[in-house]
Amino acid sequence: MNTPGLGKIIYTEEQIQQRIAEIAATINRDYTGQELVVICILKGSFYFVADLTRRLTMPMIVDFLSIGVTHDESGKTAIKFNKDLDVDIDGKQVLLVEDIIGTGFTLGYICQRLETSHPASLKICTLLDNPAERLLPIQIDYKCFTMPDMFVVGYGLDYRQHFRNLPYIAEYRY
Ligand code: IMP
Ligand code: MG
C-alpha cells in the first residue's frame, strides 16, 4: 500500500501544458506593451519557465538565480545566493517564477532581497501552490495548480535531484 517510490500521476503533461497556455494568455494581457524580466529560480522551475516564456509575446529578458541553504558553526541555518542575477532589475517589471510554494520561506527570502534592487513591479508566478504548508503569507499573482498536501516530483521537481525530467507531476513516497 505505502511502498516508497513513484505514486500516481497528479497532473498529466496535457493538463500542465493547458494551464500554462491559460496563464500565459493572462500574463500577455497584463503586460501588453511592457518589457518583462522573467526570473527562473533554479533548479526546479526551468522546465516551467522554458514552456511559459515560449508562450509570452512581450519583449523580455530571462535571468536565473539559485539559492542554497548553509549551516554555520552553531548549527544555525541560513539561506544564501549560489547564483545572483546577471541583469539589473532597477525600474523593471519583474516576474519571479517558482516551481512550488510550500512554507513560503524560500520565496519570502528571495522577494526581500529583490526588493532592495527597486524593481518597478514584482509579481509571483508558481506552477504549484501547496497552501497546507504555508507559514509565511505570500501573494501569488499567477498559479497553475493548487495541489493536495503531498510530496510530488516531475516537470522540474525533484527528490534528491532525481525525477526532474518526467513530463508529468506524480506523487512520491519516501
Ligand atoms: P518553501 O520554502 O517551503 O516554500 O519550499 C519551496 C521549495 O521546497 C521549492 O522551491 C522546492 O524546491 C521544495 N519543495 C517543496 N515541496 C516540494 C515537493 O512536493 N516536491 C519537490 N520539492 C518540493
Ligand atoms: Mg525550488
Side-chain angles (χ1 to χ4, degrees), residues 35-113:
E35 184 172 295
L36 191 60
V37 178
V38 176
I39 300 179
C40 173
I41 303 171
L42 295 171
K43 302 173 191 173
S45 59
F46 83 101
Y47 289 96
F48 181 35
V49 167
D51 286 339
L52 177 69
T53 53
R54 279 181 288 183
R55 293 178 179 275
L56 298 181
T57 52
M58 73 292 281
M60 71 158 67
I61 288 171
V62 182
D63 203 353
F64 299 85
L65 65 77
S66 171
I67 62 162
V69 176
T70 55
H71 305 273
D72 68 12
E73 318 80 62
S74 62
K76 233 178 101 191
T77 44
I79 302 176
K80 68 168 178 84
F81 280 83
N82 290 329
K83 188 212 165 289
D84 209 337
L85 294 178
D86 294 326
V87 302
D88 182 8
I89 60 168
D90 190 343
K92 300 286 168 57
Q93 316 293 338
V94 175
L95 184 66
L96 194 53
V97 183
E98 180 60 298
D99 50 357
I100 180 168
I101 304 176
T103 62
F105 288 146
T106 305
L107 213 57
Y109 175 79
I110 293 171
C111 287
Q112 207 177 31
R113 161 65 187 75

